[in-house]
Amino acid sequence: MNDTGNACGSEDLGGYVLVRVSGEVDLSWSQQVRDAILAALGRGGVGVELSQVGYIDSSGIAALVEGFQRARSTNKRFGLIAASKPVLAVLQLARLDKVFPMFAGVDEARVA
Amino acid sequence: MNAVPLAAAGGGERHALRFLAELSQALAQSLDLRETLDMAVTRIADFMQAEAASLFLLDRAGLIECRICVGPVDITGLKLAVGQGVVGRCVADNATQIVRDASCDARVNVRVDAETGFVTRSILCTPLSNARGPIGALEVINRRDGGLFDEDDAEILRLVAAPAVLAIGNAQLAHGLVEQQRIKRELELARRMQKSMLPRRRRGDFPIRGVNLPAHEISGDFYDFFDLPDGRLAFVIGDVSGKGLDAAFLMVRVASMLRWVGAHAPAPAVWLAQVNAELCRTAQDGRFVCAAVGQYDRASGTVALASAGFPPALLHDGKAFEELPADGPPLGILAEADYGEREFTLGARALYLFSDGATDVRTGASDRLGEAGLRGLIAGHAALMPEARLRAVVGDLKRLHLVDDTTLLLLQEPCGAHAHTLLDLEFPAQSAQMRSVRAALRHALDAQGVAPELRDQLVLAVDEACTNVIRHAYGGECTRRIALHVARERDMLAFELRDHAPTVDPASLKPRDLSECKPGGLGLPFIAMTMDDWKLEPAADGQGNILRMHKRIDFGDKE
């Protein structure tokens, strides 16, 4: 976490990794988000928690799409958890809101 | 006045003078030639104690025609050549003729008597003449008392001829005036018809304004504008060569053709080519038409324009003029003529189209205002709003001497002068800058009352545009600059993003299909979906690119 509020951390929940993203996901660090998601997928299913994301641009969306595609090709679970309004708006704009599995909380995501 | 020998006329000098006075007054009062002369000839016949009297007038063919006839034989309509008979001789010589004994006078035309049984004994005939010479003759035949006409009678007839000539002159003048009035009325009608063909001025924030100043009643110039089904505005301005009625008729025809063809929204070059072909097909004696046609898309600010020999259009940004020359020859000369066309973004600039009457305005005895002069007039009023500016320029032209039909068309967004900057930023091409750029933009849009959802979407679109510049135009993070300018013109937000990277081919930018799920290439679709229009153009100085994006927003009653 730095002064921008941008942060990306992961938490192992036993075969399921919760990646928490917060702040404004843009080109300046979306690569880090991407790397974190792909790394987490190496350890199991992944849920990306987005409730504290105030902004996301196409490079951030691209990171999510890449994670989603990697999970499918490796037969792992992948979902978005508690996506904030700004994230949902952009997903809708990109017509991806029906593509990602979306969950209200981490518990639903883990049992899905 | 000469002594008047009136004893012979019966009644004495006083009687004659009273008759003359009454006759003169009667002749002076009426403007109906036939009625007046009929009365006059009857009274002359009575006063002269003549059995018959007639009045002859020279017609346009040079024949002398009997117009009024009093007496037992009606010879009205009888025509004589100048020199023929007593009347013809009278007119030919412009001198009074006295025939004391008609039975043995060679001048007498015996045919009428032979046909009618009337016996002509004595004839007196005096010319009716004005300053330019004879216009006819007044003739009396046979004194009722059986006597012969003499010099005294001739003198009286000469005297009554004078007011008759005046009356004829008056009546002809009046007739001429009536005729002139009629022609004037018809021209006025034609002028009103022509005027009714011009489009009605539209109030409010309509961006097209026109003025047509005919040099005479009728004009060879015209302008027109109308809505196209796709929402664009079409406009036309034209100038038919020559002046007068034939030019006016051709103007009506060409204006109709341009409207008819233009209604189908063809590209301007095609529009001109079609009208040109039709005009050449029905060519008329070397007349031609200079015209410019175009379409304006208010949403994108794009103008498409083509000119057929019309004077160069002027684009004015308030400081400098750009001249747009003609794209082909005038209409009606070359059936196979090809026309070019041009497309440009109007922005806040003003496009002036003017017929050559505007530059042919005389500034001195022989000096033309010229194009430089017209530019000067426009520049002098640059600070005014479009409507007021056009009026001011027209006022200037009118104060000078208009020698030809003059027409001006002004295309400009009326609120152009009101456009105000919401944001003006310059920053290095680094993605770390974007967070503060977004914050500044968010703040600026909030200040305008833009709804949060739309605000976020606009911020996203601008952010995507900036990161595209960083990643693609500059090829990665660098210290070179990006300038972002956001302005509002009434309900239109205008975003302008400028870089100094190598020129990007606008054709290479195509938003991808979103139905495919893949990670990249989402930036352009975001821009395309958010903005009403967007366009990438090379910067005017050839250094870098300018991305222009527009979004019309319902601000409610704000501003």
Side-chain angles (χ1 to χ4, degrees):
Chain A
M1 173 86 96
N2 55 27
D3 61 348
T4 63
N6 292 341
C8 178
S10 43
E11 192 182 333
D12 274 315
L13 301 172
Y16 193 82
V17 184
L18 183 64
V19 179
R20 285 184 204 274
V21 184
S22 61
E24 300 192 1
V25 185
D26 68 6
L27 183 64
S28 65
W29 68 294
S30 54
Q31 188 66 27
Q32 284 169 245
V33 175
R34 170 188 178 269
D35 293 346
I37 291 171
L38 295 185
L41 278 168
R43 305 197 294 273
V46 166
V48 186
E49 209 277 346
L50 298 164
S51 68
Q52 298 306 305
V53 173
Y55 177 83
I56 188 163
D57 75 354
S58 66
S59 68
I61 298 292
L64 299 179
V65 172
E66 216 181 326
F68 171 70
Q69 290 176 328
R70 174 75 62 88
R72 278 171 63 128
S73 64
T74 55
N75 250 332
K76 296 207 169 79
R77 281 180 290 163
F78 186 87
L80 305 185
I81 298 166
S84 65
K85 263 178 82 174
V87 173
L88 284 174
V90 179
L91 286 174
Q92 274 162 19
L93 201 60
R95 299 193 203 144
L96 291 168
D97 50 326
K98 302 279 191 302
V99 172
F100 290 107
M102 311 276 261
F103 305 100
V106 65
D107 296 334
E108 292 95 315
R110 283 182 67 185
V111 299
Chain B
M1 190 188 265
N2 291 335
V4 185
L6 294 166
E13 197 168 318
R14 184 167 300 198
H15 177 58
L17 275 176
R18 193 185 308 130
F19 170 68
L20 204 57
E22 283 170 10
L23 185 69
S24 300
Q25 195 174 6
L27 284 170
Q29 275 169 355
S30 170
L31 288 175
D32 182 327
L33 190 61
R34 169 151 298 277
E35 186 186 297
T36 308
L37 293 179
D38 214 37
M39 173 276 295
V41 171
T42 305
R43 289 172 73 160
I44 288 167
D46 285 347
F47 184 75
M48 302 283 301
Q49 294 288 307
E51 284 181 10
S54 0
L55 183 139
F56 292 77
L57 289 176
L58 269 171
D59 67 14
R60 283 189 191 154
L63 291 173
I64 311 161
E65 182 183 354
C66 178
R67 302 288 290 272
I68 311 285
C69 179
V70 182
V73 178
D74 186 4
I75 56 163
T76 307
L78 177 75
K79 288 189 181 185
L80 301 163
V82 173
Q84 184 187 357
V86 176
V87 175
R89 174 61 42 209
C90 171
V91 170
D93 296 351
N94 198 15
T96 302
Q97 310 285 314
I98 303 177
V99 176
R100 291 204 173 79
D101 185 358
S103 63
C104 57
D105 195 306
R107 290 170 293 178
V108 177
N109 182 353
V110 295
R111 206 187 72 218
V112 175
D113 281 11
E115 283 173 7
T116 62
F118 184 80
V119 180
T120 300
R121 298 189 308 273
S122 178
I123 303 175
L124 188 56
C125 185
T126 198
L128 298 170
S129 48
N130 60 23
R132 288 194 296 266
I135 59 166
L138 189 57
E139 182 189 46
V140 285
I141 296 174
N142 294 356
R143 283 180 61 143
R144 289 177 196 166
D145 60 8
L148 300 175
F149 290 117
D150 58 16
E151 283 298 336
D152 290 346
D153 296 318
E155 193 64 30
I156 290 173
L157 196 60
R158 269 198 291 275
L159 279 172
V160 300
V165 169
L166 278 177
I168 291 166
N170 279 345
Q172 282 177 343
L173 211 63
H175 184 68
L177 275 175
V178 167
E179 188 68 4
Q180 268 181 30
Q181 287 291 332
R182 190 184 62 78
I183 292 173
K184 208 174 157 189
R185 266 202 313 276
E186 306 229 314
L187 278 177
E188 172 65 21
L189 220 66
R191 189 186 70 80
R192 268 193 257 158
M193 264 196 71
Q194 270 202 325
K195 215 173 163 192
S196 73
M197 292 187 64
L198 297 176
R200 272 174 196 281
R201 193 171 140 225
R202 297 206 213 168
R203 307 213 171 255
D205 68 346
F206 193 71
I208 305 178
R209 294 168 176 75
V211 177
N212 171 240
L213 306 168
H216 304 288
E217 280 86 354
I218 44 177
S219 175
D221 278 11
F222 59 96
Y223 70 87
D224 195 5
F225 48 74
F226 46 94
D227 297 291
L228 294 174
D230 60 13
R232 289 182 300 162
L233 294 167
F235 55 90
V236 168
I237 184 168
D239 179 359
V240 175
S241 66
K243 297 188 192 70
L245 267 179
D246 46 351
F249 279 125
L250 182 56
M251 169 247 147
V252 169
R253 203 167 144 248
V254 173
S256 310
M257 279 161 61
L258 282 165
R259 176 104 193 211
W260 178 252
V261 173
H264 302 99
V270 177
W271 187 353
L272 287 179
Q274 286 183 4
V275 172
N276 177 57
E278 175 61 20
L279 203 58
C280 287
R281 207 173 56 76
T282 52
Q284 22 202 316
D285 53 33
R287 289 212 173 278
F288 57 87
V289 181
C290 298
V293 300
Q295 290 129 358
Y296 174 54
D297 186 348
R298 290 192 86 174
S300 66
T302 310
V303 177
L305 181 72
S307 162
F310 202 71
L314 291 178
L315 256 179
H316 192 223
D317 64 3
K319 295 184 201 86
F321 286 95
E322 187 184 333
E323 196 176 283
L324 311 174
D327 306 288
L331 305 173
I333 295 177
L334 279 170
E336 65 280 9
D338 263 338
Y339 293 93
E341 63 182 44
R342 63 193 74 232
E343 203 176 289
F344 54 89
T345 304
L346 186 64
R349 293 183 292 180
L351 176 69
Y352 296 89
L353 294 160
F354 51 88
S355 67
D356 57 9
T359 48
D360 282 346
V361 161
R362 293 287 187 272
T363 52
S366 60
D367 292 341
R368 290 171 66 245
L369 177 66
E371 205 190 286
L374 182 63
R375 287 182 183 206
L377 292 185
I378 292 170
H381 300 298
L384 296 176
M385 296 291 286
E387 179 75 44
R389 186 174 344 114
L390 190 64
R391 243 182 296 138
V393 170
V394 166
D396 287 350
L397 292 175
K398 277 183 176 166
R399 270 190 288 283
L400 299 167
H401 182 45
L402 285 177
V403 292
D404 193 1
D405 301 328
T406 300
T407 304
L408 287 153
L409 202 65
L410 168 57
L411 173 62
Q412 185 178 22
E413 283 298 343
C415 38
H418 278 336
H420 55 263
T421 298
L422 305 182
L423 190 63
D424 206 2
L425 287 178
E426 210 189 79
F427 46 93
Q430 292 159 357
S431 55
Q433 299 287 329
M434 290 317 300
R435 188 185 178 93
S436 60
V437 171
R438 288 195 301 268
L441 181 56
R442 231 177 253 131
H443 183 73
L445 295 176
D446 279 344
Q448 297 298 310
V450 180
E453 298 78 29
L454 183 55
R455 172 203 66 199
D456 288 348
Q457 214 174 316
L458 289 167
V459 169
L460 176 67
V462 172
D463 183 36
E464 297 293 345
C466 292
T467 55
N468 274 344
V469 170
I470 297 170
R471 292 205 298 184
H472 304 302
Y474 282 128
E477 313 258 336
C478 66
T479 55
R480 305 194 62 187
R481 318 292 286 180
I482 297 175
L484 171 65
H485 185 260
V486 183
R488 173 177 167 189
E489 294 177 23
R490 287 220 181 160
D491 60 349
M492 179 72 88
L493 289 175
F495 302 85
E496 199 179 286
L497 197 66
R498 159 145 210 183
D499 64 53
H500 300 275
T503 303
V504 175
D505 177 11
S508 68
L509 302 180
K510 289 270 187 312
R512 79 162 171 86
D513 184 0
L514 286 183
S515 57
E516 261 179 284
C517 178
K518 60 179 189 181
L522 281 170
L524 266 186
F526 285 172
I527 293 170
M529 281 186 289
T530 303
M531 299 294 180
D532 293 341
D533 63 84
W534 62 277
K535 192 170 187 183
L536 184 72
E537 291 174 326
D541 55 10
Q543 297 282 308
N545 308 280
I546 297 178
L547 176 68
R548 290 197 173 88
M549 302 178 285
H550 294 100
K551 181 71 179 176
R552 200 174 283 281
I553 285 178
D554 181 11
F555 287 98
D557 286 331
K558 278 203 85 188
E559 196 188 57

